Amino acid sequence: MLIAVLGLGLALSVGAAQAAPTKAQFIRQGDALCLQVQRELAPLRRRAQAAKSLPESQQWAAAERLWADQIRIQARFTARLRAIGLPTGDSKARSIVLGLDRGLVLARRVQDAFARRSTTSLAVSLPEYIRFTVALAKSSHPALRPSLRADVL
């Protein structure tokens, strides 16, 4: 057991010892992640369009499932971007990565509002999510802008 813990500690310390990416590397790898996210979101956009033709009684559940899927994509994106690392001293990159966590919190509030069928909660949470993601996209590196749009629903 002790050997396993020691091995895990070594693996973590080796990973942490990797050099921080340059700004160019961060943007290039961020671009690649954004393209991947765009591909992952495309089926959700199609499902959202199709959900509009469902009976209203089924739209709530369809919207909740769409948001659940979007949150999974967002969470993966956030983890992958964080795994790239931050360019040394780049406060804008740090702000973007930290902001992604806030975006997940807000997206979960929207999903919860759909799950509870609460128009009151949705009237607050959805505009808050959209305002936040638009502001984050405007302040982000150009490479990150496509994946930070609130364009699924």
Side-chain angles (χ1 to χ4, degrees):
M1 178 69 167
L2 183 57
I3 300 296
V5 172
L6 179 61
L8 178 60
L10 286 172
L12 291 174
S13 65
V14 168
Q18 289 178 332
T22 65
K23 188 172 186 172
Q25 290 169 328
F26 178 77
I27 291 172
R28 186 175 54 253
Q29 291 174 356
D31 272 343
L33 287 176
C34 288
L35 289 173
Q36 182 178 3
V37 166
Q38 287 176 337
R39 287 189 297 270
E40 291 176 27
L41 287 174
L44 271 66
R45 287 188 202 99
R46 289 190 294 274
R47 285 176 37 210
Q49 286 301 316
K52 291 177 182 179
S53 65
L54 293 172
E56 188 174 331
S57 61
Q58 295 175 17
Q59 287 180 4
W60 286 97
E64 190 274 332
R65 287 189 302 271
L66 282 164
W67 277 88
D69 291 344
Q70 177 177 324
I71 289 166
R72 278 190 285 281
I73 292 168
Q74 263 183 270
R76 261 193 321 269
F77 172 79
T78 299
R80 290 173 180 159
L81 188 63
R82 188 168 274 134
I84 292 170
L86 296 172
T88 304
D90 191 332
S91 60
K92 183 168 268 211
R94 181 174 307 286
S95 174
I96 291 166
V97 172
L98 292 174
L100 294 174
D101 290 331
R102 175 81 175 134
L104 283 169
V105 168
L106 296 174
R108 287 183 182 110
R109 287 182 188 163
V110 173
Q111 178 194 12
D112 181 61
F114 276 115
R116 291 184 294 114
R117 296 181 180 207
S118 173
T119 55
T120 304
S121 295
L122 198 55
V124 173
S125 61
L126 187 56
E128 185 179 13
Y129 175 81
I130 292 170
R131 277 191 307 271
F132 179 81
T133 57
V134 168
L136 185 62
K138 285 181 181 178
S139 72
S140 71
H141 290 286
L144 300 178
R145 288 186 182 146
S147 67
L148 296 175
R149 292 189 317 248
D151 58 358
V152 172
L153 292 178

